[in-house]
């Protein structure tokens, strides 16, 4: 029997969940070049804004990323656990609604209870560790890209 995420003591579980959170910036980077994070985004967690007028964040688990329809479209994601009234249903959401901020304590507790109730997929600790490492590598690869936008200095004329 493999030890699962929920077998971790609370502090270790918090750290594991934060290591599995995908930000909007990372998801947009992945949408542009999936090779940033081989293995895809399935079972990672996102913080979604579900409020229409005011911010209301809910934690959810990614099922899959979907390519945009039409050239100008934005990538969408299927997630589980976002609809508190129908927790087991899947929700289609746009990357725009994904937060770049880390989960709050309350949201981390909600993920833990949703893992326990089976709304979200509980993962083996070994799988979660390798997913966390893939995310960390993806974040690292994403960072230098921003500086590439700056024009390269002109070569000095000899």
């Amino acid at each position: 029997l493999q030890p699962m995420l929920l077998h971790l003591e609370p502090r270790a579980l918090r750290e594991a969940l934060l290591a599995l959170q995908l930000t909007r910036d990372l998801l947009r980077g992945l949408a542009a070049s999936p090779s940033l994070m081989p293995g895809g985004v399935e079972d990672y967690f996102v913080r979604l804004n579900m409020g229409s007028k005011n911010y209301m964040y809910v934690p959810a688990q990614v099922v899959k990323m979907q390519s945009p329809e039409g050239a100008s479209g934005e990538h969408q994601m299927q997630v589980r656990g976002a609809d508190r009234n129908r927790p087991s249903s899947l929700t289609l959401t746009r990357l725009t609604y994904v937060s770049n901020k880390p989960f709050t304590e309350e949201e981390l507790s909600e993920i833990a209870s949703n893992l326990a109730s089976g709304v979200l997929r509980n993962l083996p600790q070994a799988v979660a560790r390798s997913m966390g490492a893939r995310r960390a590598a993806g974040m690292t690869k994403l960072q230098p890209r921003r500086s590439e936008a700056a024009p390269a200095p002109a070569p000095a004329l000899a």
Side-chain angles (χ1 to χ4, degrees):
L1 198 71
Q2 299 191 62
M4 305 296 280
L5 273 181
L6 280 180
H7 294 132
L8 293 168
E9 50 96 14
R11 220 185 78 218
L13 178 60
R14 272 187 60 237
E15 286 165 16
L17 293 175
L18 286 168
L20 296 175
Q21 181 183 357
L22 300 181
T23 61
R24 181 176 62 240
D25 287 348
L26 180 57
L27 284 163
R28 286 201 165 133
L30 287 172
S33 63
S35 63
L36 275 180
M37 216 173 80
V41 295
E42 187 184 352
D43 289 336
Y44 283 89
F45 298 97
V46 289
R47 185 172 184 258
L48 285 180
N49 178 23
M50 298 296 279
S52 48
K53 297 209 166 34
N54 42 15
Y55 292 104
M56 184 188 82
Y57 287 98
V58 296
Q61 190 171 35
V62 180
V63 177
K64 66 174 185 215
M65 185 105 99
Q66 296 187 328
S67 299
E69 290 164 21
S72 62
E74 187 180 31
H75 277 70
Q76 294 187 311
M77 252 181 347
Q78 241 186 358
V79 297
R80 65 170 74 89
D83 185 343
R84 288 180 172 138
N85 302 318
R86 296 181 304 139
S88 57
S89 67
L90 298 181
T91 307
L92 191 63
T93 185
R94 300 214 314 269
L95 298 192
T96 306
Y97 301 125
V98 176
S99 171
N100 272 324
K101 294 205 167 61
F103 290 121
T104 63
E105 290 301 321
E106 293 77 25
E107 290 159 355
L108 290 167
S109 301
E110 187 176 346
I111 294 175
S113 64
N114 283 340
L115 287 170
S117 68
V119 166
L120 301 179
R121 187 181 293 167
N122 192 6
L123 304 166
Q125 291 175 22
V127 170
R129 271 195 299 275
S130 74
M131 285 169 66
R134 286 205 333 253
R135 170 193 170 269
M139 297 282 276
T140 308
K141 286 185 215 156
L142 192 64
Q143 295 312 322
R145 304 227 154 161
R146 298 209 172 121
S147 58
E148 283 171 21
L157 297 171

